Amino acid sequence: AFVPLRALKTRGNTPKYGLIFHSTFIGRAAAKNKGRISRYLANKCTIASRIDCFSGAVRWGGLGRAEQEVPTSVFGDKLREQVEERLAFYETGEPPRKNLDVMKEAVVEANEVVAEVKRKQEKKEKKKKKREKRRLEALAAAAEMENSVQEVEENNIEPKKKKKKKKEQEQEQEAATEPEENGLQEEALPKKKRKRAGEGTAVEKKKKKKAKEVEEEEEED
């Protein structure tokens, strides 16, 4: 059964603390101070839970900009120190610091911690951007190398084709044009035809000579 209801049923005193009784802070306190330290500890726990709830929430800054607060453990450490000071006060009578002074110190330290965290995050982002930039540059350099290799291969192939074309053109020109004799161009004929043509002209010359000799003999007679 629930402890407060059981106390009401038995008409006993309601307990001053429940699960918080297992805390080491209460165990270290004297019997007469257990109720006081338990209430003080419960108060600090509620404050810590509210800070944890709202410190990581998104809040709206100037001109409607959303700002993400960085959660820190500074406030929790300060609240723990306050509980320790309160225990010392119960035992020795040394007055603890005021809550206002402690919270001011916590705000200053929290701002410093947040600034440090943001600075580290900015460094990480810069490093990430540099890595991304180097990766893109490496990709661009690789693409340029591939393009240059392709251009070199194309340039090496084109001159060979040009040389072949030049040789073919020269051969065609040589076949089309032959050396001139007596200011006249001879037709391009194969070797066999040239020999036959040469033999035919020699026979005709001999016939012409014989005809002239015959005519001369007839005139003398």
Side-chain angles (χ1 to χ4, degrees):
F2 193 55
V3 176
L5 296 178
R6 185 175 60 187
L8 292 172
K9 186 177 180 180
T10 57
R11 296 183 180 181
N13 294 327
T14 56
K16 294 180 180 178
Y17 30 74
L19 294 174
I20 203 171
F21 180 77
H22 300 287
S23 174
T24 56
F25 293 109
I26 297 173
R28 286 159 53 191
K32 61 179 181 180
N33 296 324
K34 286 185 183 293
R36 298 168 69 184
I37 195 66
S38 64
R39 288 192 296 273
Y40 190 82
L41 180 60
N43 183 17
K44 297 304 175 183
C45 288
T46 55
I47 293 171
S49 63
R50 289 173 184 174
I51 291 171
D52 290 340
C53 179
F54 294 106
S55 63
V58 176
R59 64 182 178 84
W60 293 93
L63 300 176
R65 293 177 298 175
E67 297 178 359
Q68 181 72 31
E69 294 183 358
V70 180
T72 62
S73 62
V74 176
F75 292 98
D77 295 335
K78 292 295 180 181
L79 294 172
R80 185 184 183 90
E81 290 175 5
Q82 282 185 299
V83 177
E84 294 285 353
E85 290 175 1
R86 184 54 61 99
L87 277 174
F89 170 69
Y90 291 152
E91 292 176 0
T92 62
E94 183 181 354
R97 292 177 295 171
K98 292 183 178 180
N99 187 49
L100 183 62
D101 297 334
V102 175
M103 288 297 106
K104 284 181 179 179
E105 291 178 5
V107 169
V108 173
E109 291 182 11
N111 289 333
E112 292 176 357
V113 172
V114 169
E116 185 67 19
V117 171
K118 287 182 178 179
R119 188 175 63 80
K120 289 180 180 179
Q121 287 178 353
E122 288 176 358
K123 276 188 178 181
K124 286 182 181 179
E125 289 178 359
K126 285 181 181 179
K127 287 181 181 179
K128 189 177 180 181
K129 287 179 181 179
K130 283 183 181 179
R131 289 196 202 103
E132 188 68 18
K133 188 177 180 181
R134 287 175 185 171
R135 189 178 67 81
L136 293 173
E137 287 177 355
L139 292 173
E144 288 180 359
M145 287 289 291
E146 289 179 0
N147 293 331
S148 62
V149 169
Q150 289 178 359
E151 289 177 358
V152 169
E153 289 177 355
E154 290 176 357
N155 292 331
N156 291 333
I157 292 167
E158 286 179 357
K160 292 180 180 178
K161 290 182 178 179
K162 288 181 180 178
K163 287 181 181 178
K164 287 181 180 179
K165 287 182 179 179
K166 285 183 179 179
K167 286 182 180 179
E168 290 176 357
Q169 288 177 359
E170 289 175 357
Q171 288 176 0
E172 289 177 358
Q173 288 178 359
E174 288 177 358
T177 59
E178 290 186 353
E180 296 180 355
E181 291 181 358
N182 298 325
L184 299 174
Q185 293 181 352
E186 293 182 355
E187 293 181 358
L189 297 173
K191 290 182 179 180
K192 291 181 179 180
K193 289 183 179 180
R194 285 179 187 173
K195 287 181 180 179
R196 289 174 184 174
E199 290 175 357
T201 54
V203 172
E204 288 177 357
K205 286 179 180 179
K206 286 180 181 180
K207 286 181 180 181
K208 286 181 180 179
K209 283 181 180 181
K210 285 181 181 181
K212 284 182 180 180
E213 290 176 355
V214 171
E215 288 177 358
E216 288 177 355
E217 288 176 359
E218 287 177 356
E219 288 179 356
E220 289 178 356
D221 296 337

